[in-house]
Amino acid sequence: MRASAAAPAAPRWRSRRWTVNGLGRRTGRTLLALALAVAGPLASAGPVAAAPIQVRADEPTLTWSVRPTPTDDDPQRPNFSYDLVPGQRIEDSIRVRNFGAEPLTLAVYASDARTTSSGALDLLPAGAEPTDVGKWIVLDTNVIKVPPKKFVDVPFTMVVPAGVENGDHTGGIVTSYRSPGFDREGRAVVLDSRLGSRMYVRVGGELRPELQISDIRISYAGTNNPLRPGKARVTYTVTNTGNVRLAAEQLVIVPGRLGFPGREAVLDPMPELLPSNSLTFSVEITDVWPSFRTAGSVELRPVPTRDGDVFAPDTPVATGSAATWSIPWFQLVVLLMLALTVLLVVRRVRRRQRQLAEADQQATQIATIVRETVQAVLAASETRPAAGVGAGTVEDGGAADGPDGTGDRRGDPT
Protein backbone atom coordinates (compact mmCIF):
# COMPACT_ATOMS: atom_id res chain seq x y z
CA MET A 1 0.00 0.00 0.00
CA ARG A 2 1.32 3.43 -0.89
CA ALA A 3 0.02 6.63 0.63
CA SER A 4 0.90 10.29 0.35
CA ALA A 5 1.89 12.32 3.35
CA ALA A 6 1.42 16.01 3.90
CA ALA A 7 4.72 17.12 2.39
CA PRO A 8 5.53 16.87 -1.35
CA ALA A 9 7.73 14.15 -2.69
CA ALA A 10 10.55 16.23 -4.13
CA PRO A 11 12.41 19.29 -2.78
CA ARG A 12 11.96 22.50 -4.70
CA TRP A 13 12.24 26.22 -4.23
CA ARG A 14 8.99 27.95 -3.47
CA SER A 15 7.92 29.98 -6.48
CA ARG A 16 5.51 31.77 -4.17
CA ARG A 17 8.37 33.73 -2.67
CA TRP A 18 11.30 33.48 -4.97
CA THR A 19 12.58 31.55 -7.97
CA VAL A 20 15.98 29.94 -8.17
CA ASN A 21 18.26 30.06 -11.18
CA GLY A 22 15.29 30.79 -13.38
CA LEU A 23 13.42 33.54 -15.12
CA GLY A 24 11.67 36.16 -13.02
CA ARG A 25 8.67 37.97 -14.46
CA ARG A 26 6.47 40.65 -12.92
CA THR A 27 3.30 41.65 -14.75
CA GLY A 28 0.60 44.23 -14.19
CA ARG A 29 -1.85 41.51 -13.09
CA THR A 30 -1.86 39.22 -10.06
CA LEU A 31 1.65 38.44 -8.78
CA LEU A 32 2.74 35.77 -6.34
CA ALA A 33 4.97 37.73 -4.00
CA LEU A 34 5.36 39.18 -0.53
CA ALA A 35 3.29 42.00 0.89
CA LEU A 36 5.79 43.87 3.02
CA ALA A 37 3.73 46.80 4.24
CA VAL A 38 0.14 47.86 4.61
CA ALA A 39 -0.80 51.56 4.75
CA GLY A 40 1.15 54.22 6.65
CA PRO A 41 4.93 53.86 7.11
CA LEU A 42 6.31 50.94 5.08
CA ALA A 43 7.64 48.20 7.34
CA SER A 44 8.58 44.57 6.90
CA ALA A 45 5.75 42.06 7.34
CA GLY A 46 5.04 38.39 6.71
CA PRO A 47 3.76 36.88 3.49
CA VAL A 48 0.16 37.33 2.50
CA ALA A 49 -1.03 34.12 0.90
CA ALA A 50 -4.80 34.58 0.93
CA ALA A 51 -5.43 37.70 -1.14
CA PRO A 52 -3.89 38.35 -4.59
CA ILE A 53 -1.56 41.34 -4.78
CA GLN A 54 -2.12 43.84 -7.58
CA VAL A 55 0.56 46.13 -9.02
CA ARG A 56 -0.14 49.58 -10.27
CA ALA A 57 -1.22 49.87 -13.88
CA ASP A 58 1.71 52.14 -14.74
CA GLU A 59 4.32 49.64 -13.54
CA PRO A 60 6.34 48.11 -16.39
CA THR A 61 6.64 44.40 -17.02
CA LEU A 62 9.99 43.19 -15.68
CA THR A 63 11.76 39.96 -16.56
CA TRP A 64 15.14 38.85 -15.25
CA SER A 65 17.11 35.74 -14.32
CA VAL A 66 19.86 34.80 -11.85
CA ARG A 67 22.46 32.03 -11.91
CA PRO A 68 26.03 31.37 -10.81
CA THR A 69 28.46 33.06 -13.15
CA PRO A 70 29.73 30.42 -15.63
CA THR A 71 33.31 29.22 -15.16
CA ASP A 72 35.69 27.37 -17.44
CA ASP A 73 35.38 24.27 -15.27
CA ASP A 74 31.59 24.39 -14.99
CA PRO A 75 29.90 26.72 -17.49
CA GLN A 76 26.42 25.34 -16.71
CA ARG A 77 26.54 24.95 -12.93
CA PRO A 78 22.95 25.01 -11.59
CA ASN A 79 23.78 26.44 -8.16
CA PHE A 80 26.64 27.31 -5.83
CA SER A 81 28.22 24.27 -4.20
CA TYR A 82 31.43 24.23 -2.17
CA ASP A 83 33.43 21.75 -0.07
CA LEU A 84 35.39 23.87 2.43
CA VAL A 85 37.12 23.76 5.78
CA PRO A 86 36.91 26.25 8.66
CA GLY A 87 38.85 29.42 7.85
CA GLN A 88 38.82 28.85 4.09
CA ARG A 89 37.99 31.81 1.82
CA ILE A 90 36.42 31.67 -1.64
CA GLU A 91 35.59 34.29 -4.25
CA ASP A 92 32.77 33.92 -6.77
CA SER A 93 29.99 35.91 -8.42
CA ILE A 94 26.34 35.71 -9.39
CA ARG A 95 25.07 36.73 -12.82
CA VAL A 96 21.89 38.79 -13.15
CA ARG A 97 20.41 39.18 -16.62
CA ASN A 98 17.75 41.76 -17.60
CA PHE A 99 15.45 40.59 -20.40
CA GLY A 100 13.36 43.76 -20.38
CA ALA A 101 13.53 46.89 -22.49
CA GLU A 102 14.12 49.19 -19.50
CA PRO A 103 16.98 49.38 -16.98
CA LEU A 104 16.33 47.24 -13.91
CA THR A 105 17.39 48.23 -10.41
CA LEU A 106 17.56 45.37 -7.91
CA ALA A 107 18.59 44.86 -4.30
CA VAL A 108 21.03 41.97 -3.74
CA TYR A 109 21.59 40.21 -0.42
CA ALA A 110 22.51 36.81 1.06
CA SER A 111 20.41 34.78 3.48
CA ASP A 112 20.08 31.38 5.14
CA ALA A 113 17.88 28.61 3.78
CA ARG A 114 15.24 26.61 5.59
CA THR A 115 12.84 23.77 4.88
CA THR A 116 9.28 25.04 4.78
CA SER A 117 6.27 23.21 6.20
CA SER A 118 5.41 22.00 2.67
CA GLY A 119 8.85 20.43 2.20
CA ALA A 120 10.17 23.12 -0.14
CA LEU A 121 13.46 24.97 0.23
CA ASP A 122 13.14 28.68 0.92
CA LEU A 123 15.19 31.57 2.25
CA LEU A 124 14.47 33.45 5.43
CA PRO A 125 11.84 36.18 5.09
CA ALA A 126 13.12 39.55 3.95
CA GLY A 127 14.54 41.47 6.88
CA ALA A 128 15.38 38.36 8.94
CA GLU A 129 19.00 38.34 10.13
CA PRO A 130 21.01 35.34 8.81
CA THR A 131 23.19 33.37 11.23
CA ASP A 132 24.75 30.76 8.94
CA VAL A 133 25.77 30.85 5.26
CA GLY A 134 24.02 34.17 4.69
CA LYS A 135 26.21 35.72 7.37
CA TRP A 136 29.44 34.37 5.86
CA ILE A 137 28.84 36.03 2.47
CA VAL A 138 30.00 39.59 1.73
CA LEU A 139 28.72 41.07 -1.55
CA ASP A 140 30.63 43.80 -3.39
CA THR A 141 27.38 45.74 -3.63
CA ASN A 142 23.84 45.45 -2.36
CA VAL A 143 22.18 47.38 -5.19
CA ILE A 144 22.70 46.85 -8.92
CA LYS A 145 21.35 48.48 -12.04
CA VAL A 146 21.17 46.09 -14.99
CA PRO A 147 20.92 47.64 -18.50
CA PRO A 148 18.20 46.30 -20.81
CA LYS A 149 19.10 43.07 -22.60
CA LYS A 150 22.35 42.89 -20.60
CA PHE A 151 23.72 41.11 -17.56
CA VAL A 152 25.75 42.10 -14.53
CA ASP A 153 28.07 39.84 -12.52
CA VAL A 154 27.99 40.62 -8.78
CA PRO A 155 31.20 39.44 -7.03
CA PHE A 156 31.17 38.18 -3.46
CA THR A 157 33.54 36.59 -0.96
CA MET A 158 32.76 33.96 1.64
CA VAL A 159 34.89 32.93 4.62
CA VAL A 160 33.96 29.85 6.68
CA PRO A 161 34.29 30.83 10.34
CA ALA A 162 36.69 28.94 12.58
CA GLY A 163 34.98 26.45 14.88
CA VAL A 164 31.87 26.11 12.73
CA GLU A 165 30.14 22.73 12.91
CA ASN A 166 31.14 20.33 10.18
CA GLY A 167 28.50 19.10 7.76
CA ASP A 168 26.03 20.83 5.46
CA HIS A 169 25.14 24.53 5.57
CA THR A 170 22.64 25.97 3.10
CA GLY A 171 21.80 29.50 2.03
CA GLY A 172 21.44 31.60 -1.08
CA ILE A 173 21.86 34.94 -2.81
CA VAL A 174 18.67 36.83 -3.61
CA THR A 175 17.77 39.65 -5.99
CA SER A 176 14.76 41.71 -5.01
CA TYR A 177 12.57 44.25 -6.79
CA ARG A 178 10.19 46.31 -4.68
CA SER A 179 7.28 48.22 -6.13
CA PRO A 180 4.07 49.84 -4.83
CA GLY A 181 0.81 47.96 -5.13
CA PHE A 182 -2.46 47.27 -3.34
CA ASP A 183 -4.26 44.24 -1.98
CA ARG A 184 -7.82 43.03 -2.62
CA GLU A 185 -9.21 45.47 -0.09
CA GLY A 186 -7.45 48.38 -1.73
CA ARG A 187 -4.83 48.92 0.97
CA ALA A 188 -1.39 50.13 -0.06
CA VAL A 189 1.37 47.53 0.07
CA VAL A 190 4.94 47.15 -1.10
CA LEU A 191 5.45 44.24 -3.45
CA ASP A 192 8.69 42.28 -3.04
CA SER A 193 9.48 40.15 -6.11
CA ARG A 194 12.43 37.89 -5.30
CA LEU A 195 14.63 35.71 -7.47
CA GLY A 196 17.64 33.85 -6.09
CA SER A 197 20.19 31.07 -6.41
CA ARG A 198 20.77 28.49 -3.70
CA MET A 199 24.15 27.81 -2.12
CA TYR A 200 25.32 24.53 -0.60
CA VAL A 201 28.39 24.57 1.65
CA ARG A 202 29.82 21.39 3.15
CA VAL A 203 32.35 21.88 5.92
CA GLY A 204 34.78 18.98 6.11
CA GLY A 205 34.47 16.46 8.92
CA GLU A 206 32.43 13.45 9.98
CA LEU A 207 28.90 13.31 8.66
CA ARG A 208 26.10 12.26 11.00
CA PRO A 209 22.91 11.27 9.16
CA GLU A 210 20.36 11.23 11.95
CA LEU A 211 16.60 11.74 12.17
CA GLN A 212 14.31 11.97 15.17
CA ILE A 213 10.56 11.36 15.30
CA SER A 214 8.58 13.33 17.86
CA ASP A 215 5.01 14.31 18.68
CA ILE A 216 3.63 11.15 17.11
CA ARG A 217 -0.14 10.79 17.44
CA ILE A 218 -2.73 8.33 16.15
CA SER A 219 -6.50 8.69 15.91
CA TYR A 220 -9.16 6.21 14.85
CA ALA A 221 -12.47 6.76 13.04
CA GLY A 222 -14.90 3.88 12.67
CA THR A 223 -17.86 3.47 10.31
CA ASN A 224 -21.60 3.07 10.83
CA ASN A 225 -21.44 -0.27 9.08
CA PRO A 226 -20.34 -2.98 11.53
CA LEU A 227 -19.20 -5.11 8.60
CA ARG A 228 -16.79 -2.45 7.33
CA PRO A 229 -13.41 -1.47 8.85
CA GLY A 230 -12.53 2.10 9.77
CA LYS A 231 -9.41 4.19 9.25
CA ALA A 232 -6.51 5.42 11.35
CA ARG A 233 -4.60 8.70 10.97
CA VAL A 234 -0.98 8.88 12.07
CA THR A 235 0.64 12.30 12.53
CA TYR A 236 4.29 12.83 13.40
CA THR A 237 7.11 15.37 13.24
CA VAL A 238 10.54 14.58 11.81
CA THR A 239 13.62 16.59 12.79
CA ASN A 240 17.03 16.38 11.18
CA THR A 241 19.22 16.10 14.26
CA GLY A 242 22.33 15.25 12.22
CA ASN A 243 24.64 17.51 10.24
CA VAL A 244 23.87 16.47 6.65
CA ARG A 245 20.92 17.27 4.40
CA LEU A 246 19.00 14.12 3.59
CA ALA A 247 15.71 12.52 2.60
CA ALA A 248 14.13 9.37 4.02
CA GLU A 249 12.11 6.30 3.14
CA GLN A 250 8.92 6.28 5.20
CA LEU A 251 6.94 3.32 6.49
CA VAL A 252 3.83 3.53 8.69
CA ILE A 253 2.58 0.32 10.34
CA VAL A 254 -0.71 -0.40 12.10
CA PRO A 255 -0.35 -3.94 13.52
CA GLY A 256 -3.28 -6.33 13.70
CA ARG A 257 -4.92 -7.46 16.96
CA LEU A 258 -7.61 -9.91 18.09
CA GLY A 259 -7.37 -11.81 14.84
CA PHE A 260 -7.80 -8.73 12.65
CA PRO A 261 -5.14 -8.15 9.96
CA GLY A 262 -2.61 -5.32 10.23
CA ARG A 263 -1.92 -2.60 7.67
CA GLU A 264 1.25 -1.01 6.26
CA ALA A 265 1.67 2.17 4.21
CA VAL A 266 4.81 2.91 2.23
CA LEU A 267 4.77 6.69 1.89
CA ASP A 268 6.39 8.82 -0.78
CA PRO A 269 10.01 9.56 0.16
CA MET A 270 10.43 12.43 2.58
CA PRO A 271 11.70 15.55 0.76
CA GLU A 272 15.15 16.90 1.48
CA LEU A 273 15.40 18.10 5.06
CA LEU A 274 18.14 20.50 6.14
CA PRO A 275 19.98 20.03 9.46
CA SER A 276 18.07 21.38 12.48
CA ASN A 277 14.88 21.67 10.39
CA SER A 278 11.61 19.81 10.90
CA LEU A 279 8.67 18.54 8.85
CA THR A 280 5.28 17.33 10.01
CA PHE A 281 3.48 14.53 8.19
CA SER A 282 -0.03 13.13 8.42
CA VAL A 283 -1.06 9.90 6.71
CA GLU A 284 -4.37 8.07 6.65
CA ILE A 285 -4.40 4.26 6.84
CA THR A 286 -7.60 2.63 5.57
CA ASP A 287 -9.16 -0.78 6.26
CA VAL A 288 -8.25 -0.80 9.95
CA TRP A 289 -10.56 -2.84 12.19
CA PRO A 290 -11.31 -1.59 15.70
CA SER A 291 -9.59 -3.74 18.31
CA PHE A 292 -10.19 -1.72 21.50
CA ARG A 293 -6.58 -0.45 21.36
CA THR A 294 -5.06 0.51 17.99
CA ALA A 295 -1.34 1.23 17.75
CA GLY A 296 0.71 2.85 15.01
CA SER A 297 4.45 3.01 14.41
CA VAL A 298 6.66 4.96 12.01
CA GLU A 299 10.03 3.99 10.54
CA LEU A 300 12.29 6.42 8.67
CA ARG A 301 15.43 5.24 6.88
CA PRO A 302 17.78 8.14 5.99
CA VAL A 303 18.62 8.50 2.28
CA PRO A 304 21.36 10.80 0.89
CA THR A 305 20.33 13.60 -1.46
CA ARG A 306 23.73 14.85 -2.55
CA ASP A 307 25.40 13.06 -5.46
CA GLY A 308 28.22 10.90 -4.22
CA ASP A 309 27.00 10.60 -0.62
CA VAL A 310 26.71 7.06 0.74
CA PHE A 311 25.38 6.33 4.20
CA ALA A 312 26.71 3.38 6.19
CA PRO A 313 24.53 0.26 6.36
CA ASP A 314 24.23 0.69 10.14
CA THR A 315 22.84 4.21 9.87
CA PRO A 316 20.17 4.38 12.58
CA VAL A 317 16.56 4.08 11.50
CA ALA A 318 14.31 6.60 13.25
CA THR A 319 11.28 5.03 14.91
CA GLY A 320 8.29 6.18 16.90
CA SER A 321 4.98 4.74 18.04
CA ALA A 322 1.70 5.71 19.65
CA ALA A 323 -1.66 4.11 20.47
CA THR A 324 -5.29 5.14 20.85
CA TRP A 325 -8.60 3.64 21.86
CA SER A 326 -10.68 2.09 19.09
CA ILE A 327 -13.83 0.77 20.73
CA PRO A 328 -15.92 -1.25 18.23
CA TRP A 329 -19.19 0.32 19.33
CA PHE A 330 -21.29 -0.72 16.36
CA GLN A 331 -19.90 -4.25 16.40
CA LEU A 332 -20.64 -4.47 20.13
CA VAL A 333 -24.21 -3.29 19.54
CA VAL A 334 -24.65 -5.93 16.85
CA LEU A 335 -23.21 -8.61 19.14
CA LEU A 336 -25.48 -7.47 21.96
CA MET A 337 -28.50 -7.66 19.67
CA LEU A 338 -27.44 -11.10 18.50
CA ALA A 339 -26.93 -12.22 22.09
CA LEU A 340 -30.37 -10.91 23.09
CA THR A 341 -31.91 -12.62 20.07
CA VAL A 342 -30.24 -15.92 20.95
CA LEU A 343 -31.34 -15.54 24.58
CA LEU A 344 -34.95 -14.94 23.54
CA VAL A 345 -34.88 -17.92 21.19
CA VAL A 346 -33.39 -20.15 23.90
CA ARG A 347 -35.99 -19.01 26.41
CA ARG A 348 -38.78 -19.70 23.92
CA VAL A 349 -37.39 -23.11 23.10
CA ARG A 350 -37.06 -23.98 26.77
CA ARG A 351 -40.60 -22.73 27.51
CA ARG A 352 -41.88 -24.81 24.62
CA GLN A 353 -39.98 -27.80 25.87
CA ARG A 354 -41.49 -27.38 29.36
CA GLN A 355 -44.95 -27.04 27.86
CA LEU A 356 -44.42 -30.18 25.79
CA ALA A 357 -43.11 -32.01 28.82
CA GLU A 358 -46.13 -30.98 30.91
CA ALA A 359 -48.46 -32.02 28.08
CA ASP A 360 -46.71 -35.37 27.84
CA GLN A 361 -47.04 -35.83 31.58
CA GLN A 362 -50.72 -34.96 31.50
CA ALA A 363 -51.27 -37.26 28.53
CA THR A 364 -49.47 -40.03 30.38
CA GLN A 365 -51.63 -39.50 33.47
CA ILE A 366 -54.83 -39.48 31.40
CA ALA A 367 -53.71 -42.60 29.56
CA THR A 368 -53.01 -44.29 32.88
CA ILE A 369 -56.43 -43.34 34.25
CA VAL A 370 -58.14 -44.50 31.08
CA ARG A 371 -56.22 -47.77 31.10
CA GLU A 372 -57.04 -48.43 34.74
CA THR A 373 -60.70 -47.56 34.17
CA VAL A 374 -60.94 -49.85 31.19
CA GLN A 375 -59.30 -52.67 33.13
CA ALA A 376 -61.72 -52.18 36.01
CA VAL A 377 -64.73 -52.21 33.71
CA LEU A 378 -63.49 -55.30 31.97
CA ALA A 379 -62.87 -57.05 35.26
CA ALA A 380 -66.34 -56.18 36.57
CA SER A 381 -68.06 -57.35 33.40
CA GLU A 382 -66.31 -60.68 33.53
CA THR A 383 -67.22 -61.30 37.24
CA ARG A 384 -71.03 -60.52 37.06
CA PRO A 385 -72.14 -63.10 34.37
CA ALA A 386 -70.40 -66.03 36.14
CA ALA A 387 -72.46 -65.62 39.41
CA GLY A 388 -75.88 -65.65 37.57
CA VAL A 389 -75.23 -68.94 35.78
CA GLY A 390 -74.60 -70.93 39.03
CA ALA A 391 -77.87 -69.88 40.80
CA GLY A 392 -80.02 -70.81 37.85
CA THR A 393 -78.69 -74.34 37.80
CA VAL A 394 -79.61 -75.01 41.44
CA GLU A 395 -83.14 -73.67 40.99
CA ASP A 396 -83.62 -75.61 37.81
CA GLY A 397 -82.63 -78.79 39.65
CA GLY A 398 -85.04 -78.15 42.56
CA ALA A 399 -87.94 -77.44 40.24
CA ALA A 400 -87.48 -80.64 38.34
CA ASP A 401 -87.93 -82.67 41.49
CA GLY A 402 -91.36 -81.18 42.27
CA PRO A 403 -94.41 -82.70 40.53
CA ASP A 404 -96.00 -79.36 39.97
CA GLY A 405 -92.97 -77.54 38.93
CA THR A 406 -92.79 -75.36 42.02
CA GLY A 407 -89.69 -76.81 43.17
CA ASP A 408 -91.16 -78.12 46.38
CA ARG A 409 -89.72 -81.33 47.37
CA ARG A 410 -92.13 -83.25 49.51
CA GLY A 411 -91.15 -86.37 51.38
CA ASP A 412 -92.64 -89.68 50.88
CA PRO A 413 -95.14 -90.19 53.74
CA THR A 414 -93.93 -93.70 54.07
Side-chain angles (χ1 to χ4, degrees), residues 16 30 32-33 47-53 183-184:
R16 193 174 196 83
T30 301
L32 298 176
V48 176
I53 306 299
D183 63 13
R184 179 181 296 174

Coordinates of all heavy atoms in Angstrom, one line a residue, residues 16 30 32-33 47-53 183-184:
R16 N 6.4 30.8 -4.8 CA 5.5 31.8 -4.2 C 6.3 32.9 -3.6 O 5.9 34.1 -3.5 CB 4.7 31.1 -3.0 CG 3.6 32.0 -2.5 CD 2.8 31.2 -1.5 NE 1.5 31.9 -1.3 CZ 0.4 31.7 -2.1 NH1 0.5 30.9 -3.1 NH2 -0.7 32.3 -1.8
T30 N -2.2 39.8 -11.3 CA -1.9 39.2 -10.1 C -0.4 38.7 -10.0 O 0.0 38.1 -11.0 CB -2.8 38.1 -9.8 OG1 -4.2 38.6 -9.8 CG2 -2.6 37.4 -8.5
L32 N 2.4 36.5 -7.6 CA 2.7 35.8 -6.3 C 4.0 36.4 -5.7 O 5.1 36.2 -6.2 CB 2.9 34.3 -6.7 CG 1.7 33.6 -7.3 CD1 2.1 32.2 -7.6 CD2 0.6 33.6 -6.3
A33 N 3.8 37.0 -4.6 CA 5.0 37.7 -4.0 C 4.7 38.0 -2.5 O 3.7 37.5 -2.0 CB 5.2 39.0 -4.8
P47 N 4.4 37.1 4.8 CA 3.8 36.9 3.5 C 2.3 36.9 3.6 O 1.7 36.4 4.6 CB 4.3 35.5 3.1 CG 4.6 34.8 4.3 CD 5.1 35.9 5.3
V48 N 1.6 37.4 2.6 CA 0.2 37.3 2.5 C -0.2 36.3 1.4 O 0.0 36.6 0.3 CB -0.4 38.7 2.2 CG1 -1.9 38.6 2.0 CG2 -0.1 39.7 3.3
A49 N -0.8 35.2 1.9 CA -1.0 34.1 0.9 C -2.5 34.1 0.5 O -2.8 33.5 -0.5 CB -0.7 32.8 1.5
A50 N -3.4 34.7 1.2 CA -4.8 34.6 0.9 C -5.3 35.5 -0.2 O -6.0 35.0 -1.1 CB -5.6 34.9 2.2
A51 N -4.9 36.8 -0.2 CA -5.4 37.7 -1.1 C -4.4 38.0 -2.2 O -3.2 38.1 -2.0 CB -5.8 39.0 -0.4
P52 N -4.8 38.0 -3.5 CA -3.9 38.4 -4.6 C -3.4 39.8 -4.4 O -4.1 40.6 -3.9 CB -4.7 38.2 -5.9 CG -5.9 37.4 -5.5 CD -6.1 37.7 -4.0
I53 N -2.1 40.0 -4.8 CA -1.6 41.3 -4.8 C -1.6 41.9 -6.2 O -1.2 41.3 -7.1 CB -0.1 41.3 -4.2 CG1 -0.1 40.6 -2.9 CG2 0.5 42.7 -4.1 CD1 -0.9 41.2 -1.8
D183 N -3.7 45.6 -2.1 CA -4.3 44.2 -2.0 C -5.7 44.3 -2.4 O -6.2 45.3 -3.0 CB -4.1 43.8 -0.5 CG -4.8 44.7 0.5 OD1 -5.6 45.5 0.0 OD2 -4.6 44.5 1.7
R184 N -6.4 43.2 -2.2 CA -7.8 43.0 -2.6 C -8.7 44.1 -2.0 O -9.7 44.5 -2.6 CB -8.3 41.6 -2.3 CG -9.8 41.4 -2.7 CD -10.2 39.9 -2.3 NE -9.4 38.9 -3.1 CZ -9.5 37.6 -2.8 NH1 -10.3 37.2 -1.9 NH2 -8.8 36.8 -3.5

